Amino acid sequence: MLDRNRQHQIAGPGHGQALSADLYYDGAQNYNPYGRDQPEQDEGFNPLKLLFYVVQYRWLIVMMAAAGLVAGVIVTMMQTPKYQATTQLEVLVPSAKVFQDIEVVSESSDLRAFQTAREKLKSRALAQRVVFQLGLTEKPDFLFPTPSFSLSNIFYRAFGIAKSPTIEEKTPEQREAIAIDRILNDLSVNLVTNTSLLSITFADQNPKYATDIANQVAQSFIDQRLDQTSETSDLARQFIQEQVLQVKQKLQKSEEELVAYAKDAGITVTGDDKSLIGSNIEALNTALATAIQERLDAGRVVEQIDKGRGSSLAPVLESEGLQKLNEKLAELTSQYQQKLGILKPGFPEMQQLQSQIKELQRLYSNGVLTITDSLRQKYQEAQNKEADLKSKLAEMEKQQVIFNDKNIKYTILKREVDSNRSQYDSLISKLNEVGVSSELKTQSAAIVDFASLPERPYSPRLTINLAIALALFMALSASIIYIIELLNNTFTNPEQIEKELGLAMLGILPHVDDRELLASINDQKSGLSEAYRSLRTSLQFSGAEGAPRSLLVTSSEPSEGKSTTSFKLGQDFAALGARVLVVDGDLRKPNLHRLFGLDNTIGLSNLLTNTVRKEDLASIFRATKYPNVTVLTSGTIPPNPADLLSSPKMALIVTNLGKRFDLVIIDAPPVVGLSDAPILSRLAEGTLMVISTNQVTRKSAKTALKRLRAAGANVVGAAMSKFAVNKFDYNYAYKYMNYQYYDYGTPKLEGKVDDGAGQPAYAKSPAFKRLVRRIRSGVGGFVDRSKSAS
């Protein structure tokens, strides 16, 4: 194994002083590689922690806020704009005067008078008067307004498309009731505090209706009060009474002529203005259609009987008597067939069975014939019924032709009767309503301020809807964040690995874009290189005698960074003067030779299968451009990697290589789904698990660790890869991780091999480079978190 004292001497000049083991190692259970204090106890509510979650899920919050604003706008669009107009009415309460000790005393105004006026303004009688005065029963847009909240409002407000309401489907009485209900529902009357004024407010989708109705309610209240205190003019009443008498005589005469003509012509009309003949024709048509259907159904049954399929008809099959005969016949036939193998047909017992069978067959045939005869009879009755109905219908149609000729004059006489009755009803109504005041008294109310035409709607209010929608969606986003935190099954910070897996955190490797990975590895002053050197130092203190002489690097799943870790650890340990051999133990998808820039024509698999010549054995172990680093590639991909790795020869190779080199690093395949890594872990003195951030699930990592320990592996710790140390949300929770600290020295544009010639001046600026890295890392982190959440 590597000598710990030697490592201190080598590492000391590079860092300015010898490193203390106590800083990175604190026993087997209390491993603390970064010298951090023990985790602080929860202190309850922490506003900074809320800020951390806000920053961590900022894109979700922004999207939910945008969705809330859009929802608020949509809800506003779905609401129909309403306008309201207000009229102020002063109630003039007459003062009661009494004489007391020869002094005139006025009684103070009673609050009950204002309450009474308020209830009269909201009465149904006053609403009916307003409807009549404004003619609201003939205005379809008032009777059938646009729904207050509907999806169709969006198209109406966006394109002006709306269904035109019609009033022809409603009777005058129904239209009047609808108009009255609309006024009562949208009318509000309130007493202005400490005054004798009543505020009359009406709301409607049409601003003109809102204004007209508010003013008319006040005016109708005044008119109603005047009508109640006035008397009907005698002259007007006498004139209307004379008109009523004349129209009444005309109505009686026209009704007598109508009844006389109907009696002479023999016309009988039902209650729904249909003639008796017409009603009979409708009834006959209905009965004929039923009879035709019955005849067709019976005909299909007879057709089956004529084809010799009478025994398969439903009435035959459903007959209980025939079913019992059929069962008895089947039973006797079965007995006959059974005894036929023992007795001859001429035997008396056999003849008796034959007679019984024939008798049952005869009875069954007679039963079927009886049922089929009844079906034929039913068919004949259906034919007779159909013919009878047709003849009656033809007779009634002839009578209908004669009736139509007589009905022309009857219609003319009836129209005259209806006209006279309408005039009579109208005059009677006017006679009841007419009243001319012979003595006008003082008004009981006066309009103080007429309602003006509103310029803008009072509802919906976009700001209120946006505020409510934003609050709801923010609450929804908080619920989503809470659920995501509960369901998140990946590792997002090092403490989760230590808590869930019970492994010491040996290193935290910052996330680097794939396009900049090679440049960051080669740059010894990059944050990634410094993180690997920190991992190397932690491995040096992972055991009682220093770093293990053979180290297996594996991961739970593919693409977690194990090959890059093996490649970089080999360089870093070699920089301390140790002879390092990096072995590509992934015989399925080798990648180590690409990182070192070598071919993979011959390697470990050839050594295990004895397909290499003795004179070529030395060439298998290839020197690299990095001092003290030797590579053993995987070689030809075999069909049975697990068998080769579990062979005794593999164990012998690892043992001999451990004697020739100070450190052997084996790049193993992933653990989950394969047996290669558990097999190799038994051959190595130590195993390092690489766990990626926001990628591998906790269950997968636990399963991988369980398999390694079941195979007898010595798992020395874990390294967390792809950790976005430059993100604000992580820097807040883990202040010891500082991207600027890792990326010290003269920065270079990562991922570029040129010197930046020909680029703008701002592209060469360190601040600009850091901004570019932050933007790329932020976008990449958001994509990774979205994948993990999904």
Side-chain angles (χ1 to χ4, degrees):
M1 293 187 181
L2 293 177
D3 183 24
R4 183 181 298 177
N5 295 328
R6 176 188 175 190
Q7 295 166 9
H8 279 241
Q9 295 170 0
I10 296 174
H15 294 273
Q17 60 181 4
L19 300 176
S20 173
D22 295 337
L23 184 62
Y24 297 94
Y25 185 78
D26 190 19
Q29 299 298 329
N30 299 323
Y31 195 86
N32 208 351
Y34 293 95
R36 290 177 286 127
D37 296 332
Q38 294 297 328
E40 298 179 357
Q41 299 295 329
D42 291 337
E43 300 178 356
F45 177 77
N46 188 355
L48 292 179
K49 192 172 183 180
L50 292 180
L51 178 62
F52 163 68
Y53 282 113
V54 170
V55 175
Q56 183 180 2
Y57 294 95
R58 56 190 176 273
W59 294 113
L60 173 62
I61 295 175
V62 169
M63 288 188 292
M64 293 300 293
L69 295 178
V70 173
V73 173
I74 293 177
V75 170
T76 304
M77 294 291 290
M78 292 175 66
Q79 292 180 280
T80 303
K82 282 191 174 183
Y83 301 80
Q84 69 178 10
T86 302
T87 301
Q88 286 191 342
L89 182 70
E90 181 182 8
V91 179
L92 304 176
V93 181
S95 299
K97 297 181 180 181
V98 296
F99 287 91
Q100 182 177 357
D101 297 333
I102 316 177
E103 293 181 357
V104 179
V105 179
S106 298
E107 190 181 60
S108 60
S109 299
D110 192 352
L111 183 61
R112 291 177 297 178
F114 301 102
Q115 296 292 344
T116 303
R118 179 176 179 272
E119 294 302 320
K120 285 184 176 181
L121 286 167
K122 297 176 63 177
S123 65
R124 192 172 188 84
L126 185 64
Q128 184 178 18
R129 191 183 187 100
V130 173
V131 169
F132 176 78
Q133 292 292 336
L134 297 180
L136 297 178
T137 56
E138 302 301 324
K139 297 180 179 180
D141 55 342
F142 177 81
L143 296 175
F144 310 105
T146 305
S148 299
F149 186 84
S150 174
L151 187 62
S152 61
N153 290 341
I154 298 178
F155 301 95
Y156 171 72
R157 297 181 68 178
F159 307 102
I161 300 175
K163 181 181 178 182
S164 300
T166 57
I167 61 175
E168 288 77 12
E169 300 176 357
K170 301 291 183 180
T171 62
E173 293 78 12
Q174 292 176 334
R175 296 199 300 269
E176 182 180 2
I178 293 173
I180 293 173
D181 291 337
R182 280 223 54 205
I183 291 178
L184 295 177
N185 293 334
D186 296 331
L187 180 67
S188 60
V189 181
N190 299 307
L191 177 63
V192 180
T193 308
N194 298 327
T195 66
S196 59
L197 299 179
L198 291 176
S199 178
I200 304 172
T201 303
F202 188 82
D204 193 82
Q205 300 173 7
N206 191 325
K208 189 174 187 309
Y209 285 154
T211 305
D212 293 344
I213 293 176
N215 291 330
Q216 186 60 47
V217 167
Q219 186 62 46
S220 297
F221 175 78
I222 298 174
D223 296 340
Q224 185 184 52
R225 183 64 177 173
L226 293 176
D227 293 342
Q228 292 174 354
T229 59
S230 63
E231 297 178 356
T232 305
S233 173
D234 294 338
L235 183 61
R237 182 182 296 275
Q238 181 180 1
F239 173 78
I240 295 176
Q241 287 177 347
E242 292 176 355
Q243 295 294 322
V244 168
L245 183 60
Q246 295 177 5
V247 173
K248 182 179 180 180
Q249 294 175 355
K250 291 174 60 178
L251 176 60
Q252 292 177 351
K253 183 178 179 180
S254 60
E255 287 178 343
E256 290 173 357
E257 292 177 354
L258 177 64
V259 172
Y261 177 79
K263 183 178 181 181
D264 295 338
I267 297 176
T268 304
V269 180
T270 60
D272 54 356
D273 293 339
K274 291 184 178 179
S275 65
L276 186 60
I277 298 175
S279 301
N280 292 337
I281 290 176
E282 289 184 2
L284 286 175
N285 280 325
T286 304
L288 179 60
T290 304
I292 292 175
Q293 184 62 39
E294 292 176 354
R295 189 260 301 168
L296 292 175
D297 294 340
R300 283 191 288 269
V301 174
V302 172
E303 183 179 355
Q304 294 293 325
I305 295 173
D306 295 337
K307 291 181 180 179
R309 301 175 185 173
S311 60
S312 62
L313 295 175
V316 176
L317 297 177
E318 295 173 357
S319 175
E320 294 183 0
L322 293 181
Q323 288 179 359
K324 292 180 180 179
L325 288 176
N326 197 14
E327 292 175 357
K328 184 65 176 177
L329 181 62
E331 181 181 355
L332 293 177
T333 304
S334 176
Q335 292 179 6
Y336 181 81
Q337 293 297 331
Q338 290 177 358
K339 293 181 179 181
L340 188 62
I342 302 175
L343 303 177
K344 293 183 178 180
F347 197 76
E349 184 177 355
M350 299 296 287
Q351 291 180 353
Q352 183 179 2
L353 286 175
Q354 290 179 358
S355 300
Q356 292 178 357
I357 290 172
K358 290 180 180 180
E359 179 64 20
L360 289 176
Q361 288 177 345
R362 185 184 64 79
L363 292 176
Y364 183 81
S365 300
N366 290 339
V368 172
L369 182 61
T370 301
I371 293 175
T372 54
D373 289 340
S374 65
L375 293 176
R376 290 179 183 275
Q377 182 65 27
K378 184 178 179 180
Y379 175 66
Q380 184 63 37
E381 292 176 357
Q383 287 180 328
N384 296 336
K385 182 178 180 181
E386 180 183 354
D388 184 52
L389 288 173
K390 286 182 178 180
S391 62
K392 291 182 179 179
L393 181 61
E395 181 180 353
M396 294 302 297
E397 288 177 348
K398 292 179 181 179
Q399 296 179 7
Q400 179 66 26
V401 173
I402 299 173
F403 171 80
N404 290 338
D405 294 338
K406 297 179 180 180
N407 191 45
I408 296 175
K409 186 176 180 180
Y410 176 85
T411 302
I412 296 173
L413 294 175
K414 187 175 183 303
R415 187 181 299 115
E416 185 177 358
V417 171
D418 293 339
S419 178
N420 293 333
R421 182 179 291 112
S422 177
Q423 294 180 18
Y424 179 78
D425 294 339
S426 177
L427 290 173
I428 291 296
S429 177
K430 290 181 179 180
L431 183 62
N432 295 331
E433 294 178 358
V434 163
V436 179
S437 299
S438 59
E439 180 181 0
L440 296 179
K441 296 186 178 181
T442 306
Q443 294 184 355
S444 61
I447 298 176
V448 176
D449 190 10
F450 285 94
S452 59
L453 189 68
E455 298 179 357
R456 60 179 61 88
Y458 82 100
S459 173
R461 300 181 64 178
L462 180 60
T463 54
I464 295 178
N465 289 343
L466 289 179
I468 295 175
L470 190 61
L472 293 177
F473 275 79
M474 287 297 98
L476 179 61
S477 64
S479 302
I480 293 175
I481 292 173
Y482 179 76
I483 295 174
I484 289 176
E485 287 296 316
L486 289 179
L487 300 180
N488 186 15
N489 61 347
T490 61
F491 296 100
T492 58
N493 58 73
E495 291 180 357
Q496 292 176 344
I497 296 179
E498 295 176 351
K499 180 180 178 181
E500 298 286 341
L501 304 181
L503 294 177
M505 182 52 56
L506 301 182
I508 300 177
L509 310 175
H511 176 72
V512 178
D513 190 84
D514 293 340
R515 296 170 294 183
E516 302 175 356
L517 180 61
L518 185 58
S520 297
I521 291 176
N522 294 329
D523 184 5
Q524 297 302 318
K525 295 183 179 181
S526 67
L528 184 61
S529 298
E530 180 63 24
Y532 274 114
R533 283 194 291 271
S534 178
L535 175 60
R536 176 197 64 186
T537 305
S538 299
L539 286 172
Q540 289 177 293
F541 298 99
S542 61
E545 300 181 3
R549 299 201 59 162
S550 57
L551 178 66
L552 180 74
V553 181
T554 185
S555 62
S556 303
E557 299 177 356
S559 302
E560 293 193 60
K562 58 179 182 55
S563 297
T564 305
T565 301
S566 302
F567 170 73
K568 189 62 179 173
L569 284 178
Q571 299 180 34
D572 292 340
F573 274 104
L576 298 178
R579 294 172 299 160
V580 180
L581 173 65
V582 183
V583 180
D584 194 346
D586 192 346
L587 302 183
R588 302 176 187 271
K589 293 183 178 180
N591 188 44
L592 206 57
H593 64 280
R594 298 187 181 92
L595 296 176
F596 282 99
L598 303 174
D599 61 82
N600 194 28
T601 57
I602 189 171
L604 179 60
S605 62
N606 304 93
L607 190 61
L608 293 174
T609 56
N610 295 323
T611 58
V612 59
R613 295 176 300 179
K614 292 183 178 180
E615 56 271 19
D616 295 335
L617 285 176
S619 62
I620 291 182
F621 301 92
R622 306 183 189 183
T624 64
K625 61 181 180 179
Y626 306 102
N628 297 329
V629 178
T630 306
V631 177
L632 175 59
T633 60
S634 63
T636 306
I637 298 178
N640 54 345
D643 296 339
L644 295 180
L645 296 177
S646 61
S647 63
K649 191 171 184 178
M650 182 64 191
L652 183 61
I653 291 174
V654 173
T655 302
N656 291 334
L657 292 177
K659 297 176 181 180
R660 294 178 53 189
F661 295 91
D662 296 327
L663 176 62
V664 177
I665 299 176
I666 304 175
D667 179 24
V671 178
V672 176
L674 302 175
S675 60
D676 301 8
I679 293 172
L680 291 173
S681 65
R682 301 185 61 183
L683 307 178
E685 292 185 5
T687 300
L688 174 66
M689 280 195 67
V690 178
I691 301 175
S692 59
T693 307
N694 288 326
Q695 178 177 341
V696 63
T697 62
R698 301 182 188 182
K699 183 177 181 181
S700 178
K702 288 181 179 179
T703 302
L705 181 61
K706 184 178 180 181
R707 290 191 61 192
L708 289 174
R709 287 177 173 169
N714 176 27
V715 183
V716 297
M720 193 171 193
S721 62
K722 302 181 181 180
F723 190 81
V725 297
N726 63 321
K727 297 180 68 175
F728 176 78
D729 47 0
Y730 290 150
N731 285 334
Y732 161 71
Y734 308 101
K735 301 179 181 65
Y736 57 87
M737 296 297 298
N738 192 285
Y739 189 82
Q740 284 73 19
Y741 172 76
Y742 273 162
D743 195 13
Y744 65 90
T746 304
K748 64 172 67 175
L749 195 59
E750 295 182 6
K752 303 293 183 179
V753 296
D754 57 0
D755 57 356
Q759 295 189 7
Y762 62 84
K764 302 178 183 179
S765 170
F768 177 78
K769 296 176 182 178
R770 286 194 297 270
L771 177 61
V772 171
R773 285 195 297 269
R774 286 178 180 273
I775 294 175
R776 290 179 178 176
S777 179
V779 174
F782 172 71
V783 174
D784 294 340
R785 189 154 55 250
S786 301
K787 291 181 180 178
S788 64
S790 62

